[in-house]
Amino acid sequence: MLRVIGKRLALLVPTLFGLSVLLFLWVRGLPGGPATALLGERATPEAVARVNELYGFDEPILLQYFTYMGKLLQGDFGTSIITGRPVLEEFATRFPATIELSVVALIFAIGVGIPLGYMAARHYGKVLDHGSVVLSLIGITIPVFFLAFIFKYLFAIQWPILPPDGRQNPRINATHVTDFYVLDGLLTGEYDAAWDAFQHLILPGLALGTIPLAIIVRITRASVLEVQNADYVRTARAKGLMEKTIRSRFILRNAMLPVVTTIGLQTGLLISGAVLTETVFAFNGIGSFLRDAIFELDYPVLQGFVIFIAILYALINLLVDVSYSVIDPRVRVQ
Amino acid sequence: MFTSTSARGTHPTKKRAAAITAGAAISALLLSGCVQSQREEDGGAAAEGEVDSTFVFAASSDPASLDPAFASDGESFRVSRQIFEGLVGVEPGTADPAPLLAESWETSEDGLSTTFALKEGVTFHDGTEFNAEAVCFNFDRWYNFTGLAQAPSVSYYYNNLFRGFADSPDAAVYESCEVNGDLEATVTLAKPFAGFIPALSLPAFAMQSPTALQEFNADDIGGSSEAPQLSEYAEGNPVGTGPFKFDSWNVGADLTVSAYEEYWGEQGDVQTVIFRIIDDPQARTQALQAGTVDGFDLVSPADIPLLEEEGFMIVPRDPFTILYLGINHTVEELSDPLVREAIHHAIDKQALIDQTLPEGTQLATQFIPDVVDGYNEDVTTYEYDPERAMELLAEAGYPDGFEVQFNYPTDVSRPYMPTPEQVFTNLSDQLSEVGITVTPAPDVWTPDYLDRIQGTENHGIHLLGWTGDYNDTDNFIGVFFGQEKPEFGFDNPELFEALSEARGMTDREEQTTTYEEINEQIAQFNPAIPLAHPAPSLAFAPRVDSYPASPVNDEVFSMIELNE
């Protein structure tokens, strides 16, 4: 197991290297060069020259690359053009929000998706099955921002049972230790604050979790259907094993492999869904920050973000692989 | 083989399945539970019937800086106005200067020296006494900015209004500050500056605690002029004399200020102000509807009837704005004065206002609102008259009209132009009535639109406008027509000269008359078309009884009156 993890981590190095080169070339390839991207088309040649000198854009590209990587390895992602703060600091204050939101969305998607998909397969062709298929189709086809808007309109404005925006009611004046608000509330014993933060996560979490939920339902259903008709299941039944044992040991377990892959992929996609969800719910995570960065061509933020996401994706993939070997020991043997 | 391997994993699988089921069950329970709790909370607050002294305002973004000397944006100033006060304030509800930390002032005959008599018994939030030394410390601080602090993007207003620093004294408007006594200071200027007193009402020139400025290295800013890094002071240690002191700032989420107990003035109903950062306009409206904020600024005109119907209070500001149709004189057709006059006659400004702009918007005949000095009541106007427009076009040699590019920004809302797309559609329709066909040229506001309009010649007619910073005519027409600019592409030395002279005049009355004449000169030349003075509106929860709306956004929250 350790060897697999080590190997995957080692593979991360060339991946990130390739990515950093591409990113680096992209920024230098911006129309008019990075200085113009920063200053705008109106910039005077003197201003462009000044910025080129200040940021070292006039140095040989190889030297620029090594300087950038050198700083990156020391955790210096540069300074955001929009906010004037270090990119890493911006990420550090905003990522907890997005991660908190993604975790809730994922728990919702997995917690409801797997049982529903499994039940649909067990009741194949019946009302529950048809219902789940229709529901998951709806879930997949409705864009996440629209769902977010509908949820907010219904459950926060028309029928105000949940908070419509933000991460926490600012009137609570909660203490923040980790910037994971629910966790902070639990750690500091401010249970009201934790509860309030949790309530703020429900609507955006549901909106963000709906698409992965729909996909997980479909994959689980299909996978369980396939496995429950497999030869070895029939053999097990013929041997007289208890139905309960067959279901838990044979069907559910073996059906989980494609589901785990899907969950891994969906986890990565949650971040992009968060951009829209966070905007609708005024949820101040990385999503809304990234949207501004794209509009303003805040390239230190964009560069840093891509690198960060690449690491995150790689880690999620690793986690998926590790889960494989837990679920299916044959993977471990390989 | 399969059976045996799977047997090893039985327990974990079971546990996981159980955990998943439990998780789903807990989620469902929590969901129903929170419904209950929310209801109880709401009911409880309403039943008590006391004034809740916490006021939550939805801001559209974080402040760019907590140090107003290094800020120029509305959201920074909104926060600054609670924490800081200047020597000069404004008469409530107007744009006219009024005493604030200076109780009175006297200006020498040559207009160069002004002696300020300061208010007694004022302290900064850190206990530092406010006195003549503090005043001179602030003036000298601005004048002695070095390096990055001098960049126009950093000390925007000082650059624009005081023009130069200690290391470039030839350009500088400021010369020195003298302490005459504990409560009297004289500021001497190197050159006349008629707008000196009104300019001091800008938050950028608010008085800051000398102790705190030094302790938290306020002038120590890093980065570059394009991406300056805030000082320790500007990030979280601003200290002024205002009714509220700074408490905390969770970047991207909220900023809190609370009542300063030693404040020299009255404190009012509000003890704590929380600025919640909600960048989506739709989300701000919904936050008000849902009751999570007490108010917000720049309400979309389309939302106003709905909010009013639901019982929210809409407070329009007196218009201190101008929306105009820009004209690029380098386009052949548009360089013809007859064509510009024709366009002016082709536009039904009242219809445009009724259909696309908020209630309270005034029709514009010139490029300054009527409260600004130099407003000319008798300026030449161009009535809506499509027939006349067509005649003029024919006279200019375009009997069948012509085709022109119409540039407008998308996805942006400005105080003077809440919905650019609607204004564009409306005007396009009107122009087509007289035979002018427009080619739509939309761009995103920044950087594309502004770059194209202000930096290139590649545009035809366009939409733009302005919100005044303080009561100064030059702050409107001087900005637009004071020099040759790619935005308009005309060279009218007579006009440039007249504006430059007016700016330097020390006699206010003479200056006012001159500006009236200049406004007539502009109306005759028709460099662009003034359309309207839109009134930006704020919206508040029913628990707000009154809000001190100001045309120049000088709104201090200690003046808010609450009923609940």
Side-chain angles (χ1 to χ4, degrees), chain B residues 249-471:
Chain B
W249 181 14
N250 299 316
V251 177
D254 50 59
L255 187 150
T256 308
V257 296
S258 63
Y260 170 49
E261 282 171 10
E262 310 293 315
Y263 183 56
W264 59 269
E266 276 183 42
Q267 203 51 269
D269 286 344
V270 176
Q271 297 295 306
T272 306
V273 183
I274 298 168
F275 294 94
R276 279 210 47 209
I277 290 116
I278 304 181
D279 57 4
D280 181 52
Q282 184 77 37
R284 285 197 290 278
T285 309
Q286 291 178 334
L288 182 71
Q289 288 174 313
T292 55
V293 302
D294 292 314
F296 71 100
D297 199 353
L298 297 186
V299 186
S300 158
D303 290 340
I304 291 178
L306 176 78
L307 286 172
E308 271 180 327
E309 205 175 287
E310 290 176 358
F312 295 99
M313 177 171 72
I314 304 293
V315 180
R317 286 203 179 89
D318 276 346
F320 204 63
T321 53
I322 174 74
L323 167 68
Y324 59 79
L325 179 70
I327 294 178
N328 181 2
H329 297 232
T330 60
V331 174
E332 195 195 328
E333 293 91 341
L334 301 175
S335 67
D336 188 334
L338 290 175
V339 170
R340 296 204 297 272
E341 198 180 328
I343 296 178
H344 214 147
H345 279 300
I347 291 172
D348 185 350
K349 296 178 190 175
Q350 196 55 53
L352 175 80
I353 292 169
D354 294 343
Q355 289 161 30
T356 70
L357 294 167
E359 231 173 278
T361 297
Q362 290 169 5
L363 190 143
T365 59
Q366 49 209 296
F367 290 85
I368 53 171
D370 58 3
V371 293
V372 175
D373 280 332
Y375 184 84
N376 187 337
E377 297 284 353
D378 307 315
V379 80
T380 302
T381 53
Y382 303 83
E383 300 306 316
Y384 171 57
D385 186 350
E387 299 291 322
R388 177 78 189 124
M390 283 189 275
E391 278 170 30
L392 285 163
L393 283 178
E395 207 180 312
Y398 306 102
D400 303 321
F402 61 92
E403 207 176 314
V404 67
Q405 196 182 104
F406 191 155
N407 300 79
Y408 64 99
T410 55
D411 201 22
V412 70
S413 181
R414 313 294 296 170
Y416 52 80
M417 183 169 59
T419 48
E421 293 90 342
Q422 286 179 13
V423 176
F424 159 77
T425 315
N426 196 292
L427 291 181
S428 302
D429 260 5
Q430 298 188 6
L431 291 172
S432 70
E433 297 276 309
V434 300
I436 300 172
T437 317
V438 306
T439 322
D443 271 314
V444 290
W445 176 248
T446 170
D448 301 15
Y449 186 72
L450 289 178
D451 275 350
R452 183 198 285 257
I453 301 300
Q454 298 179 333
T456 73
E457 280 189 358
N458 180 16
H459 50 97
I461 52 176
H462 64 270
L463 294 177
L464 214 57
W466 187 259
T467 304
D469 295 311
Y470 59 101
N471 195 345

Side-chain angles (χ1 to χ4, degrees), chain A residues 37-42 47 50-51 54-55 79-81 83-86 89-90 93-94 107-108 110-112 114-115 149 152-153 156-157 159-171 173 176 181 195-196 198-200 202 206 232 239 241 244 248-250 252-254 278-282 284 288 291-292 295-296 326-330 332, chain B residues 1-3 5-10 12-14 16-17 20-21 23-24 27 30-31 33-35 37-39 41-42 52 54-56 62-64 223-230 234-235 248-254 256 274 276-280 282-284 286-294 411 444 446-448 450-452 454-456 543:
Chain A
L38 253 172
L39 299 167
E41 279 174 42
R42 278 182 287 159
R50 198 159 38 83
V51 166
L54 190 76
Y55 289 95
T79 306
S80 159
I81 294 164
T83 63
R85 291 162 192 276
E89 196 183 302
E90 290 289 0
T93 53
R94 288 164 208 263
I107 290 174
F108 163 64
I110 297 172
V112 178
I114 293 180
F149 193 82
K152 181 174 168 181
Y153 186 74
I157 292 163
W159 189 40
I161 52 171
L162 284 167
D165 45 49
R167 294 186 64 193
Q168 198 162 47
N169 185 345
R171 290 167 190 266
N173 198 13
H176 297 306
Y181 285 6
W195 177 237
D196 181 74
F198 179 73
Q199 287 185 19
H200 279 81
I202 295 174
L206 291 188
Y232 56 81
K239 280 184 169 176
L241 267 141
K244 208 174 136 193
S248 63
R249 282 191 202 171
F250 290 48
L252 193 62
R253 187 188 182 98
N254 287 298
E278 287 180 6
T279 303
V280 174
F281 288 99
N284 301 293
S288 39
R291 187 200 54 196
D292 294 344
F295 281 133
E296 304 269 333
V326 172
I327 296 171
D328 185 352
R330 285 175 304 174
R332 214 178 308 166
Chain B
M1 182 179 121
F2 192 77
T3 317
T5 48
S6 81
R8 272 192 287 162
T10 306
T13 314
K14 241 184 184 172
R16 263 197 300 275
I20 288 165
T21 318
S27 309
L30 288 177
L31 264 172
C34 71
V35 170
S37 136
Q38 182 85 14
R39 277 193 196 127
E41 254 174 45
D42 292 351
D52 174 0
T54 302
F55 185 80
V56 187
D62 280 299
S224 66
S225 58
E226 292 70 31
Q229 286 170 12
L230 301 181
E235 266 192 337
S248 63
W249 181 14
N250 299 316
V251 177
D254 50 59
T256 308
I274 298 168
R276 279 210 47 209
I277 290 116
I278 304 181
D279 57 4
D280 181 52
Q282 184 77 37
R284 285 197 290 278
Q286 291 178 334
L288 182 71
Q289 288 174 313
T292 55
V293 302
D294 292 314
D411 201 22
V444 290
T446 170
D448 301 15
L450 289 178
D451 275 350
R452 183 198 285 257
Q454 298 179 333
T456 73
R543 81 182 190 99

